[in-house]
Amino acid sequence: MYRAPIDDIKHALFDIAGLREVMAHLPEGMLTDDLVEAILAEAGRFAGEEIAPLARAGDETGSKVENGAVTTPPGWKELYAKWREGGWNSISSPEKYGGQGLPASLAMAVLEMWNSASMAFAIGPTLTSGAVEALERHASEELKRKYIARMVSGEWMGTMNLTEPQAGSDLGALRTRAEPRGDGTYRIFGQKIFITYGEHDFTDNIIHLVLARLPDAPPGTKGISLFLVPKFLVNDDGSLGARNDVFCASLEKKMGIHGSPTCTMIYGDGKFGDEPGAIGWLVGEPNRGLNCMFTMMNAARLAVGIQGVGVAEAARQKAIAYAKERRQGRAPGAPTRDMSPIIEHPDVQRMLLSMTVLTQASRAIAYACAQAADLARWDRERSNHWQERVNLLTPLAKAFPTDMGVEVASLGIQVHGGMGFIEETGAAVLLRDARIAPIYEGTNGIQAIDLVIRKLGLSGGDHVRRFLAELQADAEQARNTGDDDLAIAGIRAREALHDAAEAGEYLLGQLTDGRQEVALAGATPFLRLMALAVGGALLVRGATRSGDAARAQLARYFAENHLGDTGALRRVVLEGGDSLLRAAGLLAAM
Amino acid sequence: MYRAPIDDIKHALFDIAGLREVMAHLPEGMLTDDLVEAILAEAGRFAGEEIAPLARAGDETGSKVENGAVTTPPGWKELYAKWREGGWNSISSPEKYGGQGLPASLAMAVLEMWNSASMAFAIGPTLTSGAVEALERHASEELKRKYIARMVSGEWMGTMNLTEPQAGSDLGALRTRAEPRGDGTYRIFGQKIFITYGEHDFTDNIIHLVLARLPDAPPGTKGISLFLVPKFLVNDDGSLGARNDVFCASLEKKMGIHGSPTCTMIYGDGKFGDEPGAIGWLVGEPNRGLNCMFTMMNAARLAVGIQGVGVAEAARQKAIAYAKERRQGRAPGAPTRDMSPIIEHPDVQRMLLSMTVLTQASRAIAYACAQAADLARWDRERSNHWQERVNLLTPLAKAFPTDMGVEVASLGIQVHGGMGFIEETGAAVLLRDARIAPIYEGTNGIQAIDLVIRKLGLSGGDHVRRFLAELQADAEQARNTGDDDLAIAGIRAREALHDAAEAGEYLLGQLTDGRQEVALAGATPFLRLMALAVGGALLVRGATRSGDAARAQLARYFAENHLGDTGALRRVVLEGGDSLLRAAGLLAAM
């Protein structure tokens, strides 16, 4: 059973990401050490005691649809009510609307716990947060007044309707139409797919944010507008009015996150209301819908990255617990003829330690990204600097932890041996759940392209250079502590950061020279290289700052057993692109 | 839909593994080029047209049990009958018992196809082959006469009953008992788990091979005997007699291979027969059961490795087909404003090319192992040499292809984007199926330990040295062709082989110096290092021998984009072990 890793989380928040720096910029008394402690403890309790026990029902029963009505898994509706009553939905929402306005760092730490307990449950509220953020930044005062407070309280949930069958990664291809009714509202027509919690029984109303095209919109991404489309229209007194013309036509049968209803939503089919067309309200400027989305995309991507951290943490806890109990074979040096717990076998230890450090490196990157987002908001003088940091870290924080979620969950299965393949054990579901995270909210390939094409060049390349130099300083400091483990970890981190710098300069050079395809070919290995170097350096920083010998040993384990990959990845970036582009010519005939 | 990659398979058989060398040692006329061609073509047809269409029903419906009777998925019983009528069950079985006696190389090529079409279907007959081999080598003439021919024809299927709840990787812990009845037969009592095709409706009788302990047996692995236990007793005239006291108590709910019934088998519960105890016959010497198993273990491990190859091939074909059709975004240099097929995006090309070369390298290693097994049998003068080669290659051929099966299937999901997570697409099931292969038939960790502890030291370490030197000669030859792609691939293969040699010598030294735990700690990275180096060199060899420019490009792609990992892995082996063993001390408190 999941037990929130409070120590590791606090270490990542304070020693690695620097939450104290955020706290120094917050209004006096807004966040105290005691409050951090209390929030983490209570969230940990709720995740472990309330959510985790219902995760299996979520996987086994899943969400079901009948006549457009979705029934969530047994106990989930009550769980959501309890969770919302605990105030968890509003933790980082604006105080103006009844939220607690706490830093993203803390919200992400808590979100990690929900995801460890049940990724399928946790993703629903995540989407509500995203919708609240979009409305807060772009909606009219009237819409804000009518909707935000009730979404902040969790009375209503929100959704994001982007994808259509022909428009996945490429939203420019979307076709959903919005026709003006002449009274400032619109009628929406179209089909949206893969809509997470598009329909459910948690709340009385569901507030859909929908991307659609106005009649005169230019083609492509510059002709997309954002609309608010409630499931039930809302009267001026706040009571629910007529059912809007939108419904859930079906649920996807997915590999994992079975509890989360993934809906095909039909807008404007004439199923409800007097005339066809779901009534919607424009959010933000016409044809600027994608920009509205972009403002919240960093947060959404980070939230998905956190899913990777959460699943990885759950998998490592489960594997360690099993390895302590399960006895097979005799470990080297074991005294008796009895079988040893498999945790004593070096090869199993390798798996468990790798699961641990890959989880911790993922958490370090994700929390560092959240901290930068907090500073972008609260450190007004250096807001631009921190916003660049968020922009740089977001693709790393989305892609690496989600890849590691898959990797660590897969290792978790392996530790369980044959039992890992049996669903009842509960190890397999973690891989099945984790496997979506590298895909949605921008595939990890798209994250890599974003990193190379848009982020490497921030401040003319200087932002990345300065960031790597900061981390080099951490590595240097570790070397100078006189502690062997830290010194070796610091030396290896320095090498890795050099690899990252060299590969980054190479890619920047390719872009400058107009060889975009070579840069694109190197994007995925470069992202992994950057993430390993950054993750390794952050573990070194944390171990140095905490003065904790155990953390120094883990940082060294990571350095000696994972960080060496950066040399290979540097060569792939520098030397592999050409052979990729040439060999790609063979694919057409395959 | 799956199309057997006949060209790639022939290339791997002839240009890489050297089937012609095997053919030169076979009895005149036993295997001609035309026959190879005909077998591959017909097997390819059968796999693609007959098996593959029933794979989805296998996953969705799965096998069911009711009152001890197992119903296989819709159409599977008929499929098995058709497959057996096609003579496929007997392809490599001894001619003495009605088999075709063909080389293992060819049998493995064909087995790859069955596994690409449906791993869950293919695994059943694989177990029968194993049981036939065990009986042929160790059973009395009477048992052979009564059982083998009907198992070779496929009229009856065979099973392997090893695992018990407390005895998985460690068979020394098994408790199933065999009590002599005084007439040369035994009564078997115990519970076996994870028994693949332990019960089904394909055949009238099922011949179980069961590991159990005699009353006076010493503890541990030296007190285990092997028994033949038929589901129905067989009368002297060959007709079926009474039902034996063994039944299937339940099926496991697994992550994948749903079509394959994974049974808990109960022996001697008194459910059938006059008195409790399933009647069994001793196979081989008392207390030598594990040795009987060992003689067939290489073949079984290779067969599981082939599952990895098969699933990987299926995944790459599926992903390439999807990437040709699916249009999203605009590829660099694409002429119009239309969306490009995603196969034109460099990052997708990277995934597809990696899927391709990882599949090919896996196939190369697996087929090379099969070829060595054939030469161990037919090249009488160098039989010992070839048997050592089989012993060395088996852990590589089991672990690397099965790890790559998981990796390639996971990449296949990624290529499909959101659709990859939807079960209907058929990409997810490949990962779910593939995930068992690194576990069963000796986990990949156990393969790595086997490689380091038992195989590195073959002929005092000289076998591995000579093997790596042979591959160095291939790399050298590639460099001297004057072809750029081959030259670069050859240079990188040389580096990788050096890494393998250095790491191998280091581990041998650790063993010599009594630091077994350091060797164990390095086992898994060493296996990966060896497999990459060997796989890369074999691709180079194949490309050189075939003179095919496309294969040279792929060998270079592999060399420049995957082979660089060997440098990192060498460092992990040489430098990572100590930090692993120290950090392992932290696990107890986690």
Side-chain angles (χ1 to χ4, degrees):
Chain A
M1 189 54 76
Y2 170 69
R3 247 188 38 222
I6 305 280
D7 278 353
D8 280 4
I9 286 177
K10 284 200 305 199
H11 172 71
L13 283 174
F14 287 102
D15 300 327
I16 295 179
L19 179 59
R20 210 158 293 288
E21 201 180 342
V22 175
M23 289 163 81
H25 285 91
L26 294 178
E28 183 75 25
M30 180 173 168
L31 189 63
T32 61
D33 281 25
D34 285 351
L35 185 55
V36 171
E37 199 80 44
I39 289 173
L40 294 179
E42 177 54 18
R45 192 203 63 76
F46 195 94
E49 294 178 15
E50 308 281 352
I51 303 179
L54 291 171
R56 174 163 298 171
D59 184 58
E60 287 178 356
T61 310
S63 278
K64 312 273 190 204
V65 65
E66 210 178 314
N67 297 324
V70 169
T71 308
T72 52
W76 280 37
K77 187 177 170 173
E78 296 73 21
L79 174 64
Y80 175 78
K82 222 169 178 176
W83 181 83
R84 158 169 124 71
E85 282 155 23
W88 295 114
N89 194 59
S90 62
I91 179 169
S92 64
S93 301
E95 292 169 280
K96 183 175 169 187
Y97 298 101
Q100 299 168 59
L102 290 171
S105 304
L106 207 57
M108 288 298 134
V110 168
L111 183 59
E112 179 197 315
M113 299 183 195
W114 313 145
N115 276 299
S116 287
S118 168
M119 186 171 146
F121 177 77
I123 191 174
T126 305
L127 286 152
T128 304
S129 303
V132 165
E133 193 179 337
L135 291 177
E136 195 205 350
R137 296 206 193 187
H138 302 287
S140 67
E141 280 308 315
E142 192 194 333
L143 289 179
K144 286 185 189 176
R145 210 168 37 238
K146 208 161 185 174
Y147 293 97
I148 294 185
R150 291 165 88 171
M151 294 169 75
V152 165
S153 74
E155 181 186 349
W156 298 341
M157 281 174 71
T159 73
M160 309 299 300
N161 289 236
L162 285 68
T163 305
E164 300 176 12
Q166 77 294 345
S169 297
D170 187 349
L171 288 172
L174 71 81
R175 293 181 194 144
T176 294
R177 294 177 292 121
E179 294 182 357
R181 295 173 75 205
D183 64 351
T185 66
Y186 298 81
R187 287 204 178 269
I188 312 290
F189 301 88
Q191 182 192 356
K192 294 286 182 179
I193 61 169
F194 298 166
I195 308 308
T196 302
Y197 280 86
E199 178 60 46
H200 56 76
D201 53 10
F202 283 1
T203 56
D204 298 334
N205 205 3
I206 302 171
I207 313 306
H208 304 294
L209 294 194
V210 185
L211 290 181
R213 288 186 186 285
L214 291 167
D216 53 351
T221 55
K222 288 176 181 155
I224 298 172
S225 306
L226 181 64
F227 298 87
L228 179 154
V229 183
K231 176 179 170 186
F232 286 97
L233 300 178
V234 180
N235 299 321
D236 286 341
D237 65 358
S239 62
L240 294 188
R243 173 76 192 252
N244 208 348
D245 191 16
V246 49
F247 71 99
C248 168
S250 60
L251 296 185
E252 303 290 352
K253 284 193 65 180
K254 307 185 300 295
M255 184 184 192
I257 55 167
H258 292 162
S260 163
T262 302
C263 305
T264 296
M265 302 299 294
I266 308 289
Y267 290 85
D269 203 42
K271 198 175 164 91
F272 297 99
D274 303 332
E275 49 172 319
I279 297 174
W281 285 261
L282 185 67
V283 176
E285 302 286 306
N287 300 330
R288 303 277 295 164
L290 227 49
N291 294 62
C292 300
M293 286 287 147
F294 277 134
T295 59
M296 44 173 292
M297 208 170 266
N298 279 337
R301 289 179 168 182
L302 174 57
V304 171
I306 290 286
Q307 296 186 324
V309 180
V311 175
E313 175 65 33
R316 68 169 280 278
Q317 289 192 17
K318 192 168 185 61
I320 289 172
Y322 182 81
K324 285 177 181 172
E325 275 184 17
R326 173 71 172 170
R327 290 173 176 267
Q328 288 288 278
R330 200 167 64 85
T336 70
R337 295 198 56 168
D338 290 346
M339 294 194 285
S340 307
I342 62 171
I343 203 168
E344 293 180 9
H345 293 292
D347 192 66
V348 175
Q349 291 169 339
R350 173 178 292 286
M351 290 192 276
L352 297 175
L353 287 169
S354 286
M355 292 173 79
T356 297
V357 295
L358 294 172
T359 303
Q360 292 180 349
S362 298
R363 180 182 290 124
I365 293 172
Y367 286 22
C369 183
Q371 188 248 17
D374 283 328
L375 288 174
R377 183 172 169 201
W378 300 103
D379 181 3
R380 300 260 156 79
E381 286 173 26
R382 302 184 67 211
S383 184
N384 285 344
H385 164 80
W386 290 116
Q387 190 54 50
E388 284 199 344
R389 182 62 50 87
V390 175
N391 293 344
L392 169 64
L393 286 179
T394 296
L396 299 179
K398 194 276 174 174
F400 183 73
T402 54
D403 280 346
M404 292 308 106
V406 171
E407 173 77 19
V408 171
S410 189
L411 279 169
I413 292 175
Q414 193 70 20
V415 170
H416 285 80
M419 290 305 297
F421 199 60
I422 308 300
E423 289 290 357
E424 199 186 356
T425 307
V429 63
L430 296 174
L431 175 57
R432 289 191 289 98
D433 285 354
R435 192 60 193 79
I436 186 57
I439 295 173
Y440 58 19
E441 207 52 48
T443 65
N444 286 0
I446 284 177
Q447 304 302 324
I449 291 167
D450 176 53
L451 174 66
V452 168
I453 301 296
R454 282 186 288 271
K455 307 303 169 63
L456 266 182
L458 289 169
S459 292
D462 281 342
H463 189 88
V464 174
R465 287 182 198 113
R466 283 194 306 258
F467 178 52
L468 293 175
E470 275 173 38
L471 295 172
Q472 283 287 12
D474 286 313
E476 197 61 28
Q477 201 182 337
R479 289 182 54 214
N480 297 333
T481 54
D483 177 276
D484 265 5
D485 290 325
L486 282 178
I488 288 169
I491 289 167
R492 297 298 292 259
R494 186 177 59 178
E495 287 177 30
L497 292 163
H498 274 302
D499 287 331
E502 188 182 342
E505 297 296 344
Y506 172 81
L507 292 174
L508 268 180
Q510 297 296 309
L511 288 172
T512 309
D513 297 350
R515 287 193 290 271
Q516 197 187 37
E517 71 280 12
V518 177
L520 291 170
T524 287
F526 178 67
L527 186 147
R528 174 62 59 89
L529 161 49
M530 274 289 285
L532 285 171
V534 171
L538 290 177
L539 291 186
V540 165
R541 175 199 288 180
T544 308
R545 291 191 186 167
S546 69
D548 180 331
R551 297 203 184 277
Q553 283 184 36
L554 290 173
R556 178 175 169 182
Y557 175 83
F558 184 84
E560 289 193 327
N561 290 279
H562 293 279
L563 220 36
D565 289 356
T566 60
L569 290 162
R570 175 181 49 74
R571 290 186 75 179
V572 172
V573 172
L574 269 61
E575 300 166 18
D578 281 331
S579 59
L580 183 157
L581 295 168
R582 288 180 57 239
L586 306 170
L587 289 168
M590 282 184 181
Chain B
M1 189 54 78
Y2 171 69
R3 249 186 38 222
I6 305 281
D7 279 354
D8 280 3
I9 286 178
K10 285 201 306 200
H11 172 71
L13 283 174
F14 287 102
D15 300 327
I16 295 178
L19 178 59
R20 208 158 294 287
E21 200 178 341
V22 175
M23 288 163 81
H25 286 91
L26 295 178
E28 182 77 24
M30 181 173 168
L31 189 63
T32 62
D33 281 24
D34 284 353
L35 185 55
V36 171
E37 198 81 44
I39 288 172
L40 294 179
E42 177 53 18
R45 192 203 64 75
F46 195 94
E49 294 177 16
E50 309 280 352
I51 303 178
L54 291 171
R56 174 163 299 172
D59 183 57
E60 288 178 357
T61 309
S63 279
K64 312 273 190 203
V65 66
E66 209 177 313
N67 296 325
V70 169
T71 308
T72 52
W76 280 36
K77 186 176 171 174
E78 296 73 22
L79 173 64
Y80 175 78
K82 221 167 177 179
W83 181 83
R84 155 169 126 71
E85 281 155 23
W88 295 115
N89 194 60
S90 61
I91 180 168
S92 63
S93 302
E95 291 170 281
K96 182 175 171 188
Y97 298 101
Q100 299 168 58
L102 290 172
S105 303
L106 207 57
M108 287 298 135
V110 168
L111 183 59
E112 179 197 316
M113 299 184 197
W114 314 145
N115 276 300
S116 288
S118 170
M119 187 172 145
F121 177 77
I123 192 174
T126 305
L127 287 153
T128 304
S129 302
V132 164
E133 194 179 336
L135 292 177
E136 194 205 349
R137 296 206 191 186
H138 303 287
S140 67
E141 280 307 316
E142 191 195 336
L143 289 180
K144 286 185 189 177
R145 210 166 37 238
K146 209 162 186 173
Y147 292 97
I148 295 185
R150 292 165 89 171
M151 294 169 75
V152 165
S153 74
E155 182 187 349
W156 297 341
M157 280 172 72
T159 73
M160 308 299 299
N161 289 237
L162 285 68
T163 304
E164 300 177 11
Q166 79 294 347
S169 298
D170 187 349
L171 288 172
L174 71 80
R175 294 178 193 150
T176 294
R177 295 176 294 120
E179 295 181 358
R181 296 172 75 205
D183 63 353
T185 66
Y186 298 80
R187 287 205 179 267
I188 314 290
F189 300 89
Q191 181 191 358
K192 294 286 183 179
I193 61 168
F194 298 166
I195 308 308
T196 302
Y197 280 85
E199 177 61 47
H200 56 77
D201 53 10
F202 284 180
T203 56
D204 298 335
N205 205 1
I206 301 172
I207 312 307
H208 304 294
L209 294 194
V210 185
L211 289 181
R213 289 188 186 284
L214 291 167
D216 53 352
T221 54
K222 289 176 180 156
I224 297 172
S225 306
L226 181 64
F227 298 87
L228 180 153
V229 184
K231 176 178 169 185
F232 287 98
L233 300 177
V234 180
N235 298 321
D236 286 342
D237 64 0
S239 62
L240 293 189
R243 174 73 192 253
N244 207 349
D245 192 16
V246 48
F247 71 100
C248 168
S250 60
L251 297 186
E252 302 290 353
K253 283 194 66 179
K254 307 185 299 295
M255 184 185 190
I257 55 167
H258 292 162
S260 163
T262 303
C263 306
T264 296
M265 303 298 295
I266 309 290
Y267 290 84
D269 202 43
K271 197 174 164 90
F272 298 99
D274 303 333
E275 50 172 319
I279 298 174
W281 285 260
L282 185 67
V283 175
E285 303 286 307
N287 299 332
R288 303 278 294 163
L290 227 48
N291 293 63
C292 299
M293 286 287 146
F294 276 133
T295 59
M296 46 173 292
M297 208 170 266
N298 279 338
R301 289 179 168 184
L302 174 57
V304 171
I306 289 286
Q307 297 186 325
V309 180
V311 175
E313 174 64 34
R316 68 170 280 278
Q317 288 192 18
K318 191 167 186 61
I320 290 173
Y322 182 80
K324 285 178 180 172
E325 274 184 17
R326 174 71 172 170
R327 290 173 176 269
Q328 287 288 277
R330 201 167 64 84
T336 70
R337 296 196 54 166
D338 290 347
M339 294 193 286
S340 308
I342 62 170
I343 202 168
E344 294 180 8
H345 293 292
D347 192 66
V348 175
Q349 292 169 339
R350 172 176 295 284
M351 290 192 274
L352 297 174
L353 287 170
S354 287
M355 293 172 79
T356 298
V357 296
L358 294 172
T359 303
Q360 292 180 348
S362 298
R363 181 183 289 125
I365 293 171
Y367 286 23
C369 183
Q371 189 249 18
D374 283 328
L375 288 174
R377 182 172 172 202
W378 301 102
D379 181 1
R380 301 258 156 77
E381 286 174 24
R382 303 184 67 212
S383 185
N384 285 345
H385 164 79
W386 290 116
Q387 189 55 50
E388 284 199 345
R389 181 62 50 88
V390 175
N391 293 345
L392 169 63
L393 286 178
T394 295
L396 300 179
K398 195 276 173 174
F400 184 72
T402 54
D403 280 346
M404 292 306 107
V406 172
E407 173 78 19
V408 171
S410 189
L411 280 169
I413 291 175
Q414 193 69 20
V415 170
H416 284 80
M419 291 304 297
F421 199 61
I422 308 300
E423 289 290 359
E424 198 187 357
T425 307
V429 63
L430 295 174
L431 175 57
R432 289 192 289 100
D433 285 355
R435 192 60 195 80
I436 186 58
I439 296 172
Y440 58 19
E441 206 54 47
T443 66
N444 286 359
I446 285 178
Q447 304 302 323
I449 291 167
D450 176 54
L451 174 67
V452 168
I453 302 295
R454 282 186 289 270
K455 308 302 170 65
L456 266 182
L458 289 169
S459 292
D462 280 343
H463 189 88
V464 173
R465 288 182 198 113
R466 283 193 305 258
F467 178 53
L468 293 175
E470 277 174 38
L471 294 172
Q472 283 287 13
D474 286 313
E476 197 61 29
Q477 202 182 339
R479 288 180 55 215
N480 297 334
T481 54
D483 177 276
D484 265 6
D485 290 325
L486 283 178
I488 289 170
I491 289 168
R492 298 296 293 260
R494 186 177 59 178
E495 288 176 31
L497 292 163
H498 274 303
D499 287 331
E502 189 181 342
E505 297 297 344
Y506 172 81
L507 292 174
L508 267 180
Q510 296 296 310
L511 289 172
T512 309
D513 296 350
R515 287 194 291 272
Q516 198 187 36
E517 68 281 10
V518 177
L520 291 170
T524 287
F526 178 68
L527 186 146
R528 175 61 60 86
L529 161 49
M530 274 290 283
L532 284 172
V534 171
L538 291 177
L539 291 185
V540 165
R541 176 198 287 178
T544 308
R545 290 190 186 166
S546 69
D548 181 331
R551 297 201 184 279
Q553 283 184 36
L554 289 174
R556 178 174 168 182
Y557 175 84
F558 184 84
E560 289 193 329
N561 290 278
H562 293 278
L563 220 36
D565 288 357
T566 60
L569 290 162
R570 175 181 49 75
R571 290 186 75 179
V572 173
V573 172
L574 269 62
E575 302 167 17
D578 281 330
S579 59
L580 184 156
L581 295 168
R582 288 182 56 240
L586 306 170
L587 288 169
M590 282 185 184

